[in-house]
Amino acid sequence: MQVLIIEDEPVTARNLQHMLQDIDTAITVATILPGVAASVSWLQQHPHDCDLIFMDIRLADGLSFEIFEQTPIAQPVIFVTAYNDYALQAFKRNGIDYVLKPYDAEEIGRALQKYRQLTGAGAAKNALPQDQLLQLLKGLQEQPAYRQSFLVHFREKLLPVKAGDIAWFYTTNEVVQACTLEHKLYTIDLTLEQLQQQLDPQLFFRANRQFIVQRKAIQEVDFFFNSRLLVKTLPPTHDKMLISKARVPAFKAWMNA
């Protein structure tokens, strides 16, 4: 069985690959793709070169649902994500299962078994039976939503900082700092990739490899060289916060939501 993995975190993608091959040695990972653009390109060139797709939802250059809008996908999809609010959209787009991160081998094994049952029985590949879907959605609603606060070190103390009070996160030299709306800086013991999975996507946007910004902190957005956007915040950032040309449509959609 040929499996395609669409995941923008390299470590997570490799772990999933090893997990799949440990579960079933007959599984071969066709390739690992990091984002929307790469996935569209590969699927257009190799429309029949995989049997099943494992797909994260929030990718570095947009939501994976954008892939379905740009190229037809016939294969069933197992969505693996840290977010519990995309289930209905997932099952409208070839979804046969919805696995929440962090997952383990047992959960992935169950998802593979569901794939075998559905395809072996000749059942529809793009939906679950209604009772299973309702049960799954009920379980997802009981999951905790998003990170509400951070416990940070500050002058030999631990301080709680509300996520909603943070204007932006910035990383440099593998150190992540959070700047609050009151212009206080704290070090966060997480990567931007981990934060992106834990923060409410309605409030926070991954601007680029260095920044995650909160909606409330954005004061204005200027046009910049090479069709990019320059985001100006309050408090201001030390470095320019630029939105790449490829990310501009996703940023505009987020701002208009």
Side-chain angles (χ1 to χ4, degrees):
M1 179 170 61
Q2 291 277 351
V3 170
L4 170 64
I5 296 176
I6 300 177
E7 167 65 65
D8 64 342
E9 296 184 35
V11 173
T12 301
R14 287 195 299 270
N15 288 342
L16 177 57
Q17 178 179 10
H18 296 321
M19 194 176 292
L20 289 169
Q21 292 171 337
D22 287 342
I23 292 171
D24 187 347
T25 55
I27 292 176
T28 301
V29 174
T31 189
I32 297 172
L33 302 170
V36 173
S39 300
V40 170
S41 176
W42 191 90
L43 286 164
Q44 288 175 341
Q45 297 176 50
H46 309 275
H48 307 297
D49 287 0
C50 67
D51 304 301
L52 174 65
I53 301 173
F54 278 82
M55 183 181 292
D56 193 3
I57 290 181
R58 288 186 60 83
L59 302 170
D61 59 348
L63 296 179
S64 59
F65 300 134
E66 297 171 30
I67 300 170
F68 295 86
E69 298 170 0
Q70 298 180 50
T71 188
I73 298 178
Q75 295 85 347
V77 178
I78 295 173
F79 288 92
V80 284
T81 177
Y83 301 98
N84 61 12
D85 55 347
Y86 292 109
L88 282 175
Q89 295 179 65
F91 287 111
K92 290 178 181 178
R93 293 172 172 84
N94 298 33
I96 62 168
D97 209 343
Y98 194 95
V99 181
L100 285 174
K101 297 177 180 179
Y103 49 78
D104 56 26
E106 184 177 350
E107 292 173 292
I108 296 299
R110 283 197 296 266
L112 286 171
Q113 182 60 26
K114 184 176 294 182
Y115 162 77
R116 294 188 181 99
Q117 291 173 346
L118 291 172
T119 55
K125 296 183 179 182
N126 62 349
L128 284 176
Q130 187 68 21
D131 58 338
Q132 293 185 38
L133 176 57
L134 292 175
Q135 183 178 4
L136 176 62
L137 293 178
K138 181 181 178 182
L140 291 173
Q141 290 170 356
E142 296 171 354
Q143 296 289 330
Y146 301 105
R147 175 71 80 106
Q148 298 298 309
S149 64
F150 297 87
L151 197 61
V152 299
H153 292 271
F154 183 72
R155 295 180 181 174
E156 299 182 358
K157 295 180 181 180
L158 291 174
L159 299 178
V161 178
K162 293 181 180 179
D165 291 337
I166 297 175
W168 41 264
F169 297 88
Y170 172 76
T171 183
T172 181
N173 297 324
E174 300 184 357
V175 176
V176 174
Q177 286 191 315
C179 180
T180 70
L181 295 168
E182 297 180 351
H183 210 168
K184 296 179 180 178
L185 284 173
Y186 301 104
T187 299
I188 302 292
D189 294 328
L190 294 167
T191 66
L192 285 193
E193 287 70 26
Q194 292 170 324
L195 288 168
Q196 187 178 1
Q197 298 288 346
Q198 297 178 21
L199 293 167
D200 186 348
Q202 298 299 319
L203 300 179
F204 292 90
F205 184 82
R206 179 70 181 269
N208 51 44
R209 293 184 180 275
Q210 288 185 295
F211 285 102
I212 293 177
V213 63
Q214 188 190 168
R215 189 187 300 272
K216 288 192 297 185
I218 297 175
Q219 298 300 297
E220 63 181 58
V221 181
D222 295 339
F223 293 104
F224 200 75
F225 180 69
N226 269 355
S227 300
R228 292 175 292 175
L229 296 177
L230 173 62
V231 179
K232 295 182 179 180
T233 61
L234 192 67
T237 59
H238 301 297
D239 294 338
K240 288 185 175 67
M241 187 185 299
L242 296 174
I243 307 293
S244 69
K245 180 180 179 180
R247 293 286 285 150
V248 165
F251 178 74
K252 287 182 176 180
W254 176 74
M255 288 293 292
N256 283 318

